[in-house]
């Protein structure tokens, strides 16, 4: 072989070697990441090559799949009453991608989860098409309907929990959207999603988990818990609270809403009338460290995976004494998701034990065998059983005689707390209406609820937690208790 031919042969050999190295790098090192890369169209084609498994509530699927007669994307996702279920399931769109349970459980729903390997191999040998598994939720359909219908055309959110387990019974957010409206690949699907993204009312935002609001007077439940846990306060002993009360380090009085009997009021009456002065002074007297510790026991300053991740609620760590006073009545920097406030009232209803909230009870194979089951877990103990029962008694006074009478249910013990949270500079914008509550029967407390309403159609002075949010909470509690 002459010299030029030898050089060409060596060069070709090097090219072959480089190709072999590259091929092995892709097949054995990069294979997993390429297979799951969202920019790889084969991933999406594979995802919609067969019907997805279902997301189930109360034993019935709330999702489905439709044959599109397409070449690459053979099936697209469908929902039954999509706007009601979207805050629970999220969406699964051939064009946009997936969110929430549709995304987090994609491997189970598509049948690609490693735990389905042997079943998939068996199906391949017997000629059966590949099938997806199911995601079984903890949602109570009647409670979900009550929450969604109660919010109606208003902006807001509802979260209901089972206090004894932490299971999420309802998770509603309005305005919502129909995930079926952009589940496909068409130009129309893309335009629909684009309109939803640009909508100023943010229908794609899950307000129940991802939006934080000033909790207003519903936060007084946390302050009352801190007061009882300190051992310095009892429900029916008078507090040392002058009227007016000047916030420490300032010349500014903390005002109450109207002419209500708050001077030296007991904790019970302070909660019943929602006295800012009493709870502001208690927070300032207990101090930032005590209030922060109690708030964090309830779950503040942390994100919670249910398994969809919530936003972290906030109780600030570096405040002046007057800031602590304002934060202790749910204003200043204090902010909470509806999930967080449902956790607060859930812990009180469960005799001081806060259970970790969760929304998926189990994952199933296509043959309905259980692949993974969620066991309830204790998350923290924000207050003792004795103090929780004292706080329950105070919250029941709020519903029986105070600002929460709209939540009364005949034959059922109900505890609650209203909140009308200021919004904007000097409360210039419409306030948020809150209500947190629990229902209790002879068998215990099966449901705790948090409701927030942003009612842009109401007059400023007509917005109140007792007027707007309490009736929604009542309907959700009734749906669970009377099921």
């Amino acid at each position: 072989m002459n010299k030029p031919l030898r050089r060409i042969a060596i060069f070709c050999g090097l090219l072959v070697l480089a190709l072999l190295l590259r091929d092995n790098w892709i097949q054995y090192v990069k294979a997993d990441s390429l297979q799951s890369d969202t920019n790889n169209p084969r991933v999406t084609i594979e995802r919609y090559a067969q019907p997805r498994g279902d997301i189930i509530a109360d034993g019935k699927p709330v999702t489905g799949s439709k044959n599109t007669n397409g070449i690459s994307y053979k099936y697209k996702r469908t929902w039954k009453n999509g706007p009601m279920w979207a805050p629970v399931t999220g969406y699964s769109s051939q064009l946009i991608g997936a969110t929430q349970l549709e995304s987090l459980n994609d491997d189970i729903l598509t049948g690609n989860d490693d735990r389905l390997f042997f079943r998939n191999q068996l199906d391949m040998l017997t000629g059966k098409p590949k099938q997806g598994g199911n995601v079984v939720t903890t949602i109570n359909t009647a409670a979900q309907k009550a929450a969604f219908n109660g919010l109606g055309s208003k902006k807001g959110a509802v979260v209901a929990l089972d206090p004894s387990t932490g299971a999420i019974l309802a998770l509603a957010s309005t305005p919502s959207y129909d995930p079926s409206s952009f589940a496909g690949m068409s130009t129309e699907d893309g335009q629909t999603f684009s309109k939803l993204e640009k909508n100023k009312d943010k229908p794609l935002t899950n307000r129940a988990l991802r939006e934080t609001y000033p909790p207003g007077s519903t936060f007084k439940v946390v302050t009352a818990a801190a007061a009882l846990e300190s051992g310095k306060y009892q429900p029916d002993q008078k507090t040392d609270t002058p009227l007016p009360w000047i916030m420490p380090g300032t010349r500014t009085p903390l005002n109450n809403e109207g002419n209500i009997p708050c001077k030296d009021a007991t904790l019970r009456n302070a909660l019943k009338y929602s006295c800012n002065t009493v709870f502001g002074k208690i927070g300032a007297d207990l101090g930032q460290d005590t209030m922060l510790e109690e708030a964090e026991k309830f779950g503040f300053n942390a994100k919670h995976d249910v398994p969809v991740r919530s936003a972290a609620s906030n109780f600030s760590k570096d405040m002046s004494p007057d800031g602590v006073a304002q934060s202790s009545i749910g204003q200043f920097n204090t902010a909470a998701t509806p999930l967080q406030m449902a956790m607060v009232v859930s812990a009180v209803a469960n005799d001081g034990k806060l259970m970790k909230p969760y929304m998926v009870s189990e994952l199933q194979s296509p043959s309905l065998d259980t692949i993974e089951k969620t066991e309830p877990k204790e998350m923290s103990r924000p207050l003792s059983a004795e103090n929780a029962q004292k706080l329950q008694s105070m919250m029941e006074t709020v519903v029986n005689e105070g600002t929460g009478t709209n939540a009364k249910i005949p034959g059922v013990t109900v505890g609650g707390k209203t909140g009308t949270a200021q919004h904007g500079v000097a409360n210039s914008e419409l306030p948020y209406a809150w209500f947190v509550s629990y229902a209790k029967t002879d068998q215990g407390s099966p449901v705790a609820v948090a409701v927030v309403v942003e009612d842009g159609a109401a007059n400023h002075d007509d917005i109140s937690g007792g007027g707007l949010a309490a009736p929604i909470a009542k309907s959700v509690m009734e749906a669970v208790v009377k099921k």
Side-chain angles (χ1 to χ4, degrees):
M1 183 182 293
N2 60 36
K3 193 171 182 179
L5 285 175
R6 188 164 60 248
R7 286 177 174 171
I8 290 171
I10 291 172
F11 178 69
C12 289
L14 289 173
L15 286 179
V16 170
L17 181 62
L19 283 171
L20 286 171
L21 288 173
R22 180 65 177 168
D23 182 59
N24 280 279
W25 169 260
I26 290 173
Q27 287 197 44
Y28 297 104
V29 179
K30 298 291 290 181
D32 287 344
S33 61
L34 289 172
Q35 282 179 357
S36 58
D37 192 325
T38 55
N39 294 316
N40 181 356
R42 291 182 182 277
V43 173
T44 310
I45 291 171
E46 168 67 16
R47 177 178 292 138
Y48 298 106
Q50 60 278 321
R52 287 168 74 81
D54 280 315
I55 297 177
I56 294 171
D58 265 345
K60 295 180 181 177
V62 300
T63 56
S65 292
K66 179 182 178 182
N67 192 330
T68 64
N69 297 316
I71 297 174
S72 297
Y73 301 90
K74 293 183 177 177
Y75 292 88
K76 73 175 183 179
R77 197 52 145 167
T78 60
W79 281 259
K80 296 167 185 173
N81 199 349
M84 185 176 86
W85 290 109
V88 175
T89 64
Y91 56 76
S92 179
S93 166
Q94 295 171 349
L95 187 65
I96 310 299
T99 59
Q100 300 195 183
L101 295 186
E102 290 280 13
S103 174
L104 292 170
N105 298 287
D106 188 61
D107 284 350
I108 286 289
L109 294 167
T110 56
N112 289 329
D113 192 281
D114 290 342
R115 290 168 289 185
L116 299 174
F117 176 79
F118 289 107
R119 180 183 175 83
N120 289 338
Q121 297 304 308
L122 187 62
D123 286 348
M124 190 169 66
L125 290 173
T126 58
K128 283 181 68 175
K130 188 176 175 183
Q131 291 179 280
N134 298 320
V135 177
V136 182
T137 72
T138 57
I139 301 294
N140 175 318
T141 302
Q144 183 72 8
K145 282 181 182 174
F148 185 71
N149 293 338
L151 288 169
S153 60
K154 305 179 188 73
K155 263 192 282 186
V158 177
V159 176
L161 298 174
D162 179 340
S164 65
T165 63
I168 295 177
L169 304 175
L171 191 87
S173 175
T174 55
S176 188
Y177 62 94
D178 186 356
S180 298
S181 65
F182 56 91
M185 277 294 286
S186 70
T187 302
E188 187 180 353
D189 288 307
Q191 290 171 341
T192 300
F193 184 77
S194 180
K195 285 180 185 175
L196 288 167
E197 269 196 313
K198 293 173 183 173
N199 189 321
K200 63 181 177 58
D201 289 331
K202 301 191 293 184
L204 293 172
T205 297
N206 189 332
R207 289 174 162 80
L209 300 179
R210 300 279 174 77
E211 198 76 59
T212 61
Y213 303 85
S217 294
T218 57
F219 191 81
K220 290 170 183 167
V221 175
V222 177
T223 306
L228 293 169
E229 284 292 286
S230 74
K232 299 176 181 176
Y233 300 87
Q234 290 298 323
D236 297 307
Q237 288 179 354
K238 286 188 175 181
T239 58
D240 179 19
T241 312
L243 195 65
W245 178 68
I246 307 299
M247 289 187 284
T250 74
R251 296 180 179 178
T252 307
L254 185 61
N255 295 318
N256 293 310
E257 291 295 325
N259 183 25
I260 50 181
C262 294
K263 184 180 179 182
D264 297 331
T266 63
L267 270 186
R268 185 185 303 280
N269 281 335
L271 200 69
K272 173 182 167 184
Y273 292 107
S274 202
C275 296
N276 292 337
T277 45
V278 174
F279 287 102
K281 185 173 186 298
I282 287 174
D285 289 348
L286 292 176
Q288 177 178 270
D289 290 347
T290 300
M291 285 301 303
L292 177 63
E293 182 181 2
E294 187 66 24
E296 291 189 341
K297 283 181 184 175
F298 277 110
F300 277 76
N301 296 336
K303 296 176 180 178
H304 304 287
D305 295 335
V306 297
V308 180
R309 181 161 293 179
S310 74
S313 300
N314 182 68
F315 190 86
S316 293
K317 300 180 179 180
D318 185 15
M319 293 184 283
S320 59
D322 63 308
V324 175
Q326 294 177 71
S327 293
S328 299
I329 61 169
Q331 296 290 167
F332 196 53
N333 289 337
T334 306
T337 61
L339 171 69
Q340 175 60 74
M341 294 314 298
M343 290 164 65
V344 168
V345 72
S346 169
V348 175
N350 195 34
D351 286 348
K353 189 191 297 184
L354 176 60
M355 302 299 289
K356 179 178 168 57
Y358 66 99
M359 190 163 52
V360 174
S361 61
E362 67 176 74
L363 303 178
Q364 294 178 337
S365 71
S367 57
L368 308 184
D369 295 329
T370 300
I371 295 174
E372 182 180 314
K373 192 173 181 65
T374 305
E375 297 296 337
K377 290 181 184 174
E378 181 178 330
M379 184 174 155
S380 64
R381 293 209 181 211
L383 65 174
S384 68
E386 180 185 5
N387 285 331
Q389 287 160 12
K390 290 176 181 175
L391 189 45
Q392 289 170 20
S393 164
M394 292 160 55
M395 293 178 71
E396 287 157 20
T397 300
V398 172
V399 172
N400 291 329
E401 306 170 17
T403 54
T405 52
N406 281 341
K408 278 185 182 179
I409 301 174
V412 177
T413 301
V414 177
K417 180 70 192 85
T418 54
T420 308
Q422 294 184 1
H423 180 207
V425 178
N427 198 20
S428 55
E429 298 184 47
L430 291 175
Y432 301 123
W434 278 92
F435 193 72
V436 297
S437 63
Y438 63 86
K440 196 162 60 176
T441 67
D442 294 340
Q443 286 75 46
S445 179
V447 59
V449 187
V451 177
V452 63
V453 177
E454 314 171 39
D455 193 352
N459 293 319
H460 192 288
D461 293 339
D462 293 338
I463 296 175
S464 70
L468 288 178
I472 300 171
K474 177 185 175 182
S475 65
V476 174
M477 290 187 291
E478 281 181 320
V480 176
V481 170
K482 296 183 178 179
K483 185 180 180 184

